[in-house]
């Protein structure tokens, strides 16, 4: 058993796990009750589990808890229901969500992009989101949402 202290969404959290190499995703969902990050492929290839560690997008399904030393932000910590992040607002306004499974990864990856490049081109956005999988076909609405959020900044 290993106890680890984390900063998740601006709050201190302490978790005890059997194996320090437990994926961060399992800790966030099962121990802390955060359901923004999703289990998709378990291989870091689909993006559904994306979170930020110290402001950078990472795939939490392949990030062992033992490797986490920075501030973790999940979709729940990006904005609040009373003060949405510009990307969250834009995704709602563009109706970019269909089933919603991929949206956590799309928003978290896009937030990382906008932090590094506040005025990305359409090509920049497509390139950034190329490794985030969506089967519903809302790609054009997702693209418009990211562009809307960038324009509102």
């Amino acid at each position: 058993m290993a106890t680890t202290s984390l900063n998740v969404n601006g709050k201190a959290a302490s978790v005890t796990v059997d194996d320090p190499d437990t994926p961060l995703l399992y800790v966030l969902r099962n121990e802390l009750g955060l359901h923004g990050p999703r289990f998709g492929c378990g291989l870091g290839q689909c993006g559904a589990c994306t979170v930020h560690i110290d402001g950078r997008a990472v795939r939490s399904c392949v990030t062992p808890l033992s490797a986490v030393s920075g501030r973790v932000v999940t979709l729940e910590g990006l904005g609040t229901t009373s003060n949405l992040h510009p990307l969250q607002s834009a995704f709602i306004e563009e109706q970019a969500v269909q089933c919603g499974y991929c949206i956590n990864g799309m928003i978290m990856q896009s937030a990382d992009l906008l932090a590094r490049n506040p005025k990305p081109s359409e090509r920049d956005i497509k390139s950034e989101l190329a490794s985030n999988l969506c089967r519903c076909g809302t790609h054009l609405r997702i693209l418009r949402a990211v562009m809307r959020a960038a324009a509102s900044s």
Side-chain angles (χ1 to χ4, degrees), residues 30-121:
N30 301 338
E31 304 300 322
L32 300 179
L34 298 167
H35 298 289
R38 316 269 178 160
F39 181 87
C41 66
L43 302 170
Q45 297 175 350
C46 74
C49 67
T50 304
V51 300
H52 291 177
I53 298 178
D54 287 335
R56 293 304 313 242
V58 298
R59 305 297 169 96
S60 64
C61 72
V62 293
T63 302
L65 181 61
S66 61
V68 178
S69 61
R71 186 174 152 252
V72 178
V73 176
T74 67
L75 184 63
E76 293 91 343
L78 199 60
T80 65
T81 54
S82 60
N83 186 23
L84 295 174
H85 185 279
L87 277 164
Q88 292 168 319
S89 295
F91 271 69
I92 292 167
E93 291 163 3
E94 292 294 337
Q95 298 181 11
V97 179
Q98 190 164 331
C99 84
Y101 211 83
C102 72
I103 295 306
N104 172 79
M106 295 291 188
I107 290 175
M108 296 305 286
Q109 193 69 48
S110 297
D112 182 354
L113 169 66
L114 294 180
R116 290 180 283 113
N117 179 0
K119 299 296 180 192
S121 68

